[in-house]
Amino acid sequence: MVRDNNIATTMGGLTAANAPAPVAAGPAKPGASPAKGAAAVKESVADLDKWTHTTKKSLTIDMVNMTNQPIDVNVKSTFLAKDETGKHEVMPEKTVENKVTLAPGKPAEFTTDEVDFTHTSMHRAPAPKSSGAISKNPKPVPMEPASGHAYFGYKVEVFQGNDLIGSAVSDNH
């Protein structure tokens, strides 16, 4: 049995909370509020990163040795990703191998290393700052294409020597 673990999912690399402080371009205007400048920087950083998503995945694998002897197995766990660009093909993102000794008649459970998946959704680029005049027919802002790899599923194969003795795939594979 294989369980798919969501370790963490984040949006963007920077958030408004960890954005760098704004740098003053010169002497402050009398009566100007420094809080407005800081809020504008935090807002623009949030806009830039809100389309990028990072997901960390691991697999928890349960196995049982039904023989009377201990056996050494090699478990190959392949994490699959969907390419967010081009043809949206499903491809191997990373294969993690674990060597496990299974005691006779006893269940064994282990969790693979984490694998990161980062992708950016298709989105519109930020609108250019206007010069103050409101246009009746503004030019459309171009679309930014999607990029990166999104998590799609897994394939797990269990080998004893060169012999495949067990396998599992995710439902969507």
Side-chain angles (χ1 to χ4, degrees), residues 67-82:
T67 69
N68 292 330
Q69 300 294 320
I71 59 172
D72 293 324
V73 296
N74 185 25
V75 182
K76 291 185 181 182
S77 307
T78 302
F79 292 83
L80 304 172
K82 183 174 85 168

Side-chain angles (χ1 to χ4, degrees), residues 9-94:
T9 301
T10 60
M11 292 182 65
L14 289 176
T15 64
N18 67 9
V23 177
K29 295 180 185 177
S33 170
K36 284 185 180 179
V41 168
K42 288 181 181 181
E43 185 177 310
S44 67
V45 168
D47 283 345
L48 293 176
D49 284 342
K50 69 182 174 183
W51 303 107
T52 301
H53 309 278
T54 299
T55 303
K56 295 176 185 273
K57 292 286 192 171
S58 71
L59 300 175
T60 299
I61 301 170
D62 294 311
M63 299 178 292
V64 177
N65 175 2
M66 300 303 285
T67 69
N68 292 330
Q69 300 294 320
I71 59 172
D72 293 324
V73 296
N74 185 25
V75 182
K76 291 185 181 182
S77 307
T78 302
F79 292 83
L80 304 172
K82 183 174 85 168
D83 184 14
E84 292 294 308
T85 60
K87 297 179 183 176
H88 300 283
E89 297 173 321
V90 174
M91 61 186 63
E93 180 75 9
K94 184 174 182 180

Side-chain angles (χ1 to χ4, degrees), residues 26-171:
K29 295 180 185 177
S33 170
K36 284 185 180 179
V41 168
K42 288 181 181 181
E43 185 177 310
S44 67
V45 168
D47 283 345
L48 293 176
D49 284 342
K50 69 182 174 183
W51 303 107
T52 301
H53 309 278
T54 299
T55 303
K56 295 176 185 273
K57 292 286 192 171
S58 71
L59 300 175
T60 299
I61 301 170
D62 294 311
M63 299 178 292
V64 177
N65 175 2
M66 300 303 285
T67 69
N68 292 330
Q69 300 294 320
I71 59 172
D72 293 324
V73 296
N74 185 25
V75 182
K76 291 185 181 182
S77 307
T78 302
F79 292 83
L80 304 172
K82 183 174 85 168
D83 184 14
E84 292 294 308
T85 60
K87 297 179 183 176
H88 300 283
E89 297 173 321
V90 174
M91 61 186 63
E93 180 75 9
K94 184 174 182 180
T95 299
V96 178
E97 292 191 37
N98 297 87
K99 297 196 182 302
V100 179
T101 300
L102 300 174
K106 297 196 179 197
E109 177 182 282
F110 72 94
T111 301
T112 65
D113 292 338
E114 294 176 10
V115 176
D116 293 350
F117 295 85
T118 301
H119 71 281
T120 301
S121 303
M122 181 187 303
H123 61 281
R124 292 215 179 266
K129 299 290 181 194
S130 65
S131 60
I134 298 175
S135 172
K136 290 183 181 181
N137 296 319
K139 289 183 179 180
V141 179
M143 292 295 288
E144 295 290 330
S147 62
H149 296 161
Y151 176 74
F152 186 78
Y154 60 83
K155 176 176 77 171
V156 176
E157 299 172 306
V158 181
F159 291 91
Q160 183 179 13
N162 290 328
D163 298 329
L164 178 65
I165 61 171
S167 65
V169 294
S170 56
D171 291 337

